[in-house]
Amino acid sequence: MDDLILQTLLPTSHDLGGFKVHRTLPHKERTTIGPFIFFDQMGPAHLPEGGGIDVRSHPHINLATVTYLFAGAIDHRDSLGTFRTIEPGAVNLMTAGRGISHSERSPTALRPAGPELSGIQTWLALPSAKEEMDPAFEHVPKADLPVVEGSGATARVVMGSLWGATSPVTCHSETIYADIHLLAGGSMPIDPEADERALYVAEGEASLDGLTLAPQSLYVLRPGISATLRSNRGAHVMLCGGAPLDGPRHVWWNFVSSRRERLREARQDWKAGRFPLPPDDRDEFIPLPEVPKTVSYP
């Protein structure tokens, strides 16, 4: 195991009323893998009839969010005036830069039957030189993401370059991100294409060079190793990573920054109503938490 795995990050799981969220980043043992500073698996779940998710408008700074669904759909609205429905296999990349707010809700049309919800939500810390860039939103359809074939396996390249294919999704720093599906008996090579890499089994059963990988755990790979991902019964696995961050990051609530004072500014701006809200979703927003807790991540 020591030859392959540098760390195993076990999840913190929460029931959010009808669906579970498994969080492996940030973690007390390690808080970043490449630019990834937040890693959540949502579901899988089938929400009650007439229900859905309603994440009210909330702010971000100095990071980019990546939403990638396995099942279901989410309506995204942001303070740039963007409205976009994301569906399985597509990518929503929202770059907060100097500041953005957004909401995430189940589409109205899916609520009567009870919407499905399954996917991965991640945050990427921006390089310090880009933290205050203009906010932006990018949607890349499933059909535009390259798919690579393995032996009884397929991998969709979500971000970066892997297995000789390159995703069109913008990368603000060196990033790799892939969605791997293994059939029963399938395999996929995992090569050292980034300094920091991790594997996450979202569903099913998988192993890496004979080492069993437990679902909902993030396995940080030792730098430079090559190995083969396999499954006897089928699996759904995410690969993430990239270049190390260019310095420590501080995190408070939905804010990430290399500068602690920037978090204070963002906190004051949200409390004072100086963040713009999505123009078609102004009625509700998440208030600033009362007790600030700032965490520094090297």
Side-chain angles (χ1 to χ4, degrees), residues 132-276:
E132 298 298 325
M133 67 182 291
D134 291 342
F137 178 83
E138 179 177 313
H139 176 90
V140 178
K142 176 181 178 179
D144 291 351
L145 298 176
V147 175
V148 179
E149 300 291 332
S151 175
T154 59
R156 179 170 290 109
V157 182
V158 179
M159 298 182 75
S161 297
L162 289 159
W163 304 291
T166 300
S167 165
V169 176
T170 297
C171 292
H172 296 295
S173 62
E174 182 185 325
T175 306
I176 59 168
Y177 195 23
D179 176 12
I180 305 169
H181 287 263
L182 301 167
L183 300 175
S187 64
M188 197 78 190
I190 304 297
D191 299 320
E193 300 195 54
D195 292 339
E196 298 183 356
R197 300 163 295 156
L199 289 168
Y200 180 89
V201 180
E203 295 179 285
E205 162 276 318
S207 63
L208 188 69
D209 278 6
L211 174 69
T212 299
L213 306 180
Q216 282 79 53
S217 295
L218 200 56
Y219 290 87
V220 183
L221 306 186
R222 191 169 294 281
I225 66 106
S226 294
T228 301
L229 183 67
R230 302 181 188 276
S231 179
N232 292 325
R233 300 187 299 275
H236 189 177
V237 182
M238 302 301 288
L239 168 66
C240 68
L245 288 175
D246 57 0
R249 291 299 185 272
H250 310 289
V251 179
W252 183 81
W253 192 37
N254 298 313
F255 304 138
V256 170
S257 183
S258 62
R259 297 173 292 131
R260 191 183 297 270
E261 65 274 13
R262 185 67 179 90
L263 302 184
R264 289 194 291 269
E265 292 173 6
R267 185 164 66 240
Q268 292 164 1
D269 287 343
W270 184 249
K271 187 174 183 178
R274 289 190 287 267
F275 269 85

